[in-house]
Amino acid sequence: MKSLDVFFNCREQVIEEWVNAIFNTYPLQSTGFLRTVKDPFTNPVADMTREAARTVYEAVSGWDKKPEDVKQAIDRFVHLRAVQAMLPSQGIMVFYLLKPIMRKHVLPKLKDQALQDYLDAESRLDTIVLMAFDIYMKSRETVAENRIREIKNQHAQLVRWAQRVGGSPLEQEGKS
Amino acid sequence: MAKLPTPEELVASRPEFPAQSWFDYKPKFEAGSYCYPAQKPTMELMHMPNPHDWDPAADDWNLPENWKEILCDAFADRLAKHRSLKLFMDICVRCGACADKCHFFLGTNDPKNMPVLRVELLRSLYRRDYTLLGKILGKTIGARELDYDIVKELFFYAYQCTECRRCSLFCPYGIDTAEITAIVRELLHEVGLGIHWIMDPVKNCSLTGNHLGIKPHSYKEIVEMLADDCEDIVGIRPKTPFNERGHEILFICPSGDVFADPGIYTFMGYLILFNELDLDYTLSTYASEGGNFGSFTTFNMAKKLNAKMYAEAERLGCKWILGGECGHMWRVINQYMDTYNGPTPAHMQTPVSPITGTVFENAASTKMVHIAEFEADLIKHGKLNLDPSRNDDLVCTWHDSCNPARAMGLLDEPRYVLKHVVNKFYEMPENTIRENTFCCGAGSGLNTEEIMELRMRSGMPRGNALRYVQQKYGVNRMCCVCAIDRATLPPLANYWAPGVTVSGLTELVANALVCKGEPKRTMNLRQEDLPHLDEEEQGE
Ligand code: SF4
Ligand code: SF4
């Protein structure tokens, strides 16, 4: 059996375990809801986690995936983790929770000569984590930028008005 | 070599939870998750009880010595005053139907943000003092005695509820967590705990009439400046009647529409529309604020700030009030105004549209009509000459702001108006709109920048639905009738659905409105080129 098939055959089990491992990082009382409610709008956290997990696992397995598609699939998930109350390391490290699960389910089923295939898969995960890191940083910058823009917007007209009062150097602005 | 933690160890963020019951888990006051405290001079000026300096992140909140007694007495007083509160304390069966309906819970996954547990924080105190079983069995039935940490916990979670009422929709008993949050905030104010972002507007509104504390002459000049902008765009300068007696209508809107982007375009829309209708109306510098941040502090403060609407209508002799696109202002008007400050001054009359003759029976007691109702009625009677193609650069969706939607049932009028002024409109998913709408995540005075992280979490369910229609239909504009939303949705969209902009309804009405005698319009209210201009030029 080709390595890719081994990855494929364990897919549902690995993804489910990984998603649950991510849910388990949230308080106990919340995980039941995260696990059971399937609607993407009434349980968005589970939806974005599942979306990310599926695409990431497929990309890690070695399926043909464009970097753009992977980014798109993890975008919501990383945006969420970038603003939830946790350390940056905790935000990102959930990707690495995939490794022990793959080592449990995939690695033993691979033939010896396929070890390189497995190592390649883990390296692909490392690449995805770096992509996630970029999105994470961008998200944090957006939060900071939002703060600045908001403060500016609140008083936008006051500043404009203050510049007009008493005559602005700009002729057309100083007519009040 | 020291042992490095494994990834599993690094992400383990709930070590305390299985070991401790939720009762014992204490909130962490970390930057980004709590609002700055109200300043002592502000609290003094507003005659709030026990004003003092304090820091939410500090261990000691400098509460007055007898804080426990004050809080217990205040709680007893509110229980006697509001029968609903007592009922809400007693009847919850902890069925959990509300648990996953709150956007704060969905975004934070913090169990205490489940509405049922949010209220349980207060209910546990109630159980201990007001139920026989609680007195005898104590903790085993979820009763506990008030302590310092519980005060902190109440503060933490009362300011992680936007009083949006989504949860109450799903409660079989109709328990209104928003009302309970409002009362918890009121209790906390008794021991001098309030937040700056709410108390500062309250002070400004009390002293000068609007949230930013802009003096009347400056307020008027800013409005004149916006009227100049209207002239640049439409070619006609709208009237700006201020504090004039004897007009039929007093118009009141949130001051955010005058000072803040993108609210100003909505305000310009009002001016252009009223001018086109030759409406017999006046603005007021005294009642220059529709918003009522008092309603986020105490009932008495809300009543005081609300009173000026009728007082001004009386002083100026207006027959009825037309209200702009504000959120919580309408909650106050629809649910409380009558009890606070009613009955209306004797000369006021049930509103009648001077253009269509429609009698607004629904406003017979408050004498106040929502601008969206007013506009929908005009359109229904064919009184507006509209060219929706002027908004063809926009693919719109509609955000039902919590207060107009859930506190007054304003669901169809704004959609009716919107569909007549734009050609491209798509709804967000069904379970996120109308009564089920998700809050912007920052209502009830939580629209302050120091909690931007928290707002991005709590606004996530809204942002998530927006992102869906953005990707599916190419939506690039989210419209709403709430000034707080016009301030809070732009950062939310920028985070969850970058590329979507936000506007009020009347901005789009005025874009589409073909005014009598206007020269050919080339710009929209944001002074951007109108769509189809190139095509027309080529055609000429
Ligand atoms: S009123 Fe809104 S914010 Fe408050 S608990 Fe209910 S759903 Fe949550
Ligand atoms: S839905 Fe109502 S009765 Fe059920 S837990 Fe929530 S507040 Fe209590």
Side-chain angles (χ1 to χ4, degrees):
Chain A
M1 193 161 39
K2 284 202 297 197
S3 301
L4 197 58
D5 296 331
V6 175
F7 275 98
F8 182 79
N9 290 342
C10 317
R11 183 170 59 155
E12 296 309 321
Q13 190 178 15
V14 172
I15 292 176
E16 202 49 35
E17 272 188 39
W18 183 26
V19 164
N20 281 329
I22 298 171
F23 291 165
N24 282 345
T25 64
Y26 292 115
L28 185 68
Q29 289 85 344
S30 309
T31 35
F33 161 72
L34 286 171
R35 281 203 188 105
T36 48
V37 178
K38 296 282 187 236
D39 185 275
F41 303 105
T42 48
N43 189 1
V45 170
D47 185 60
M48 49 188 77
T49 307
R50 286 180 193 283
E51 183 194 21
R54 180 156 297 273
T55 305
V56 168
Y57 182 72
E58 290 172 358
V60 166
S61 302
W63 291 18
D64 206 12
K65 291 263 174 204
K66 289 196 208 94
E68 270 319 304
D69 294 343
V70 177
K71 271 192 206 154
Q72 172 73 19
I74 61 174
D75 190 71
R76 274 191 308 164
F77 180 64
V78 179
H79 268 80
L80 175 75
R81 299 198 66 90
V83 284
Q84 285 192 323
M86 54 179 83
L87 295 170
S89 57
Q90 293 173 326
I92 291 292
M93 282 305 245
V94 285
F95 285 98
Y96 286 136
L97 294 181
L98 178 58
K99 284 190 181 176
I101 300 168
M102 290 203 305
R103 287 174 197 174
K104 184 168 106 195
H105 293 295
V106 183
L107 191 55
K109 296 191 186 106
L110 289 171
K111 297 201 195 76
D112 285 349
Q113 65 271 31
L115 182 64
Q116 189 56 45
D117 292 343
Y118 184 79
L119 291 178
D120 288 348
E122 286 209 348
S123 296
R124 280 191 287 272
L125 180 63
D126 295 337
T127 305
I128 291 173
V129 171
L130 290 176
M131 287 177 172
F133 180 64
D134 284 344
I135 299 174
Y136 186 97
M137 288 311 297
K138 183 89 200 339
S139 308
R140 297 300 311 174
E141 279 164 21
T142 306
V143 170
E145 176 193 294
N146 276 347
R147 276 205 181 92
I148 297 167
R149 269 205 217 173
E150 185 166 275
I151 296 171
K152 282 190 174 170
N153 284 349
Q154 273 156 18
H155 304 120
Q157 298 313 308
L158 286 179
V159 174
R160 237 183 101 205
W161 165 75
Q163 287 167 343
R164 272 164 57 122
V165 168
S168 149
L170 294 174
E171 209 177 305
Q172 71 275 25
E173 284 282 276
K175 63 185 173 186
S176 69
Chain B
M1 204 174 84
K3 187 181 167 291
L4 282 175
T6 63
E8 291 94 318
E9 285 164 354
L10 276 182
V11 293
S13 66
R14 62 169 189 187
E16 301 96 332
F17 258 97
Q20 284 177 307
S21 90
W22 66 268
F23 260 179
D24 303 318
Y25 187 77
K26 302 293 170 230
K28 291 194 193 76
F29 285 84
E30 281 165 349
S33 63
Y34 64 84
C35 303
Y36 297 151
Q39 289 169 343
K40 189 176 166 198
T42 308
M43 297 293 246
E44 284 169 347
L45 206 56
M46 290 296 98
H47 309 291
M48 298 297 280
N50 295 301
H52 65 278
D53 291 315
W54 65 290
D55 172 9
D59 284 340
D60 188 350
W61 282 11
N62 305 333
L63 294 182
E65 232 164 70
N66 56 340
W67 60 268
K68 208 170 190 175
E69 191 188 329
I70 300 175
L71 283 175
C72 289
D73 289 351
F75 190 24
D77 174 71
R78 301 312 186 278
L79 282 166
K81 187 169 159 201
H82 305 285
R83 268 187 63 207
S84 54
L85 178 63
K86 191 156 185 334
L87 201 67
F88 294 162
M89 291 294 110
D90 281 326
I91 59 172
C92 171
V93 291
R94 299 211 231 177
C95 68
C98 60
D100 54 0
K101 305 304 184 294
C102 173
H103 50 288
F104 277 96
F105 171 69
L106 294 178
T108 61
N109 293 296
D110 177 347
K112 285 188 198 170
N113 271 326
M114 294 176 180
V116 51
L117 288 194
R118 193 189 304 289
V119 176
E120 203 65 15
L121 303 177
L122 186 66
R123 197 174 279 127
S124 60
L125 305 174
Y126 173 80
R127 244 182 230 124
R128 154 100 199 181
D129 291 335
Y130 295 92
T131 67
L132 189 60
L133 273 184
K135 278 180 193 148
I136 301 167
L137 295 175
K139 222 173 167 175
T140 43
I141 64 148
R144 57 180 182 171
E145 195 174 341
L146 183 61
D147 66 26
Y148 216 93
D149 279 335
I150 294 178
V151 178
K152 292 185 172 183
E153 189 180 55
L154 287 171
F155 177 84
F156 195 73
Y157 290 101
Y159 290 94
Q160 288 197 35
C161 166
T162 45
E163 306 183 357
C164 79
R165 301 176 92 209
R166 186 170 196 267
C167 51
S168 77
L169 209 67
F170 297 88
C171 173
Y173 300 103
I175 293 176
D176 189 348
T177 307
E179 294 273 315
I180 298 169
T181 295
I183 286 171
V184 172
R185 290 188 185 184
E186 183 162 323
L187 296 178
L188 291 167
H189 276 99
E190 293 282 345
V191 285
L193 303 177
I195 68 169
H196 175 71
W197 187 256
I198 293 177
M199 282 311 298
D200 205 47
V202 164
K203 176 196 74 180
N204 288 335
C205 208
S206 302
L207 300 182
T208 54
N210 57 68
H211 286 164
L212 285 185
I214 302 305
K215 303 258 160 49
H217 58 286
S218 313
Y219 186 92
K220 180 172 185 298
E221 280 182 24
I222 294 174
V223 169
E224 300 292 358
M225 182 174 81
L226 295 176
D228 289 345
D229 287 349
C230 294
E231 185 176 8
D232 289 344
I233 296 158
V234 183
I236 301 165
R237 195 178 193 287
K239 283 186 294 193
T240 51
F242 262 107
N243 302 336
E244 292 176 7
R245 284 172 202 270
H247 290 289
E248 182 179 356
I249 300 165
L250 170 63
F251 179 69
I252 301 177
C253 69
S255 68
D257 285 354
V258 178
F259 304 135
D261 286 351
I264 52 159
Y265 307 114
T266 301
F267 190 86
M268 286 157 62
Y270 304 143
L271 292 182
I272 294 168
L273 175 69
F274 299 160
N275 195 69
E276 172 66 10
L277 297 172
D278 199 15
L279 200 68
D280 182 21
Y281 86 109
T282 183
L283 299 157
S284 155
T285 50
Y286 171 60
S288 59
E289 179 62 69
N292 187 335
F293 272 38
S295 66
F296 309 141
T297 60
T298 66
F299 283 91
N300 282 342
M301 189 62 84
K303 175 177 171 171
K304 183 185 104 177
L305 294 184
N306 172 257
K308 68 184 171 191
M309 293 193 179
Y310 286 154
E312 189 64 339
E314 183 161 36
R315 187 177 75 91
L316 297 175
C318 298
K319 288 189 196 140
W320 57 279
I321 304 172
L322 182 59
E325 298 184 18
C326 186
H328 65 279
M329 152 172 133
W330 284 100
R331 165 106 157 252
V332 172
I333 290 163
N334 206 46
Q335 296 196 320
Y336 306 116
M337 183 151 159
D338 229 2
T339 4
Y340 284 162
N341 293 309
T344 55
H347 76 281
M348 290 183 81
Q349 294 170 7
T350 300
V352 179
S353 168
I355 318 295
T356 65
T358 300
V359 184
F360 291 95
E361 293 289 359
N362 57 329
S365 89
T366 61
K367 315 284 192 289
M368 215 165 151
V369 174
H370 194 288
I371 184 90
E373 293 172 305
F374 183 70
E375 288 168 352
D377 176 63
L378 290 170
I379 293 173
K380 178 107 186 147
H381 287 86
K383 299 292 183 192
L384 300 182
N385 182 5
L386 297 168
D387 175 5
S389 76
R390 286 180 183 173
N391 285 317
D392 271 354
D393 51 331
L394 303 177
V395 185
C396 295
T397 193
W398 181 254
H399 165 66
D400 291 279
S401 307
C402 306
N403 285 312
R406 276 191 285 264
M408 73 179 294
L410 191 84
L411 303 167
D412 293 311
E413 294 86 342
R415 284 181 169 78
Y416 180 83
V417 174
L418 187 62
K419 285 176 190 165
H420 280 84
V421 297
V422 303
N423 284 322
K424 290 171 256 180
F425 168 67
Y426 297 95
E427 292 278 18
M428 286 181 282
E430 199 183 6
N431 47 8
T432 71
I433 55 167
R434 299 178 71 91
E435 289 98 337
N436 280 305
T437 187
F438 274 119
C439 179
C440 65
S444 78
L446 300 188
N447 51 326
T448 175
E449 67 274 351
E450 67 261 24
I451 53 164
M452 191 60 80
E453 280 95 340
L454 177 64
R455 288 167 48 189
M456 294 302 106
R457 278 173 242 162
S458 57
M460 179 273 287
R462 173 77 300 157
N464 185 51
L466 175 62
R467 183 188 178 102
Y468 174 78
V469 285
Q470 181 191 30
Q471 291 181 346
K472 188 157 184 199
Y473 306 112
V475 163
N476 60 9
R477 174 63 60 86
M478 187 184 228
C479 314
C480 60
V481 271
C482 172
I484 286 188
D485 281 339
R486 282 190 285 278
T488 61
L489 291 175
L492 188 71
N494 192 32
Y495 194 79
W496 288 106
V500 178
T501 51
V502 176
S503 69
L505 184 64
T506 305
E507 174 187 343
L508 303 186
V509 170
N511 271 345
L513 185 67
V514 183
C515 299
K516 290 184 266 313
E518 72 172 20
K520 182 175 156 54
R521 203 148 353 148
T522 58
M523 291 185 277
N524 64 21
L525 296 202
R526 299 186 181 203
Q527 307 211 8
E528 301 155 344
D529 282 347
L530 284 181
H532 308 308
L533 271 187
D534 293 347
E535 300 155 38
E536 282 168 34
E537 270 166 23
Q538 277 162 15
E540 276 163 16

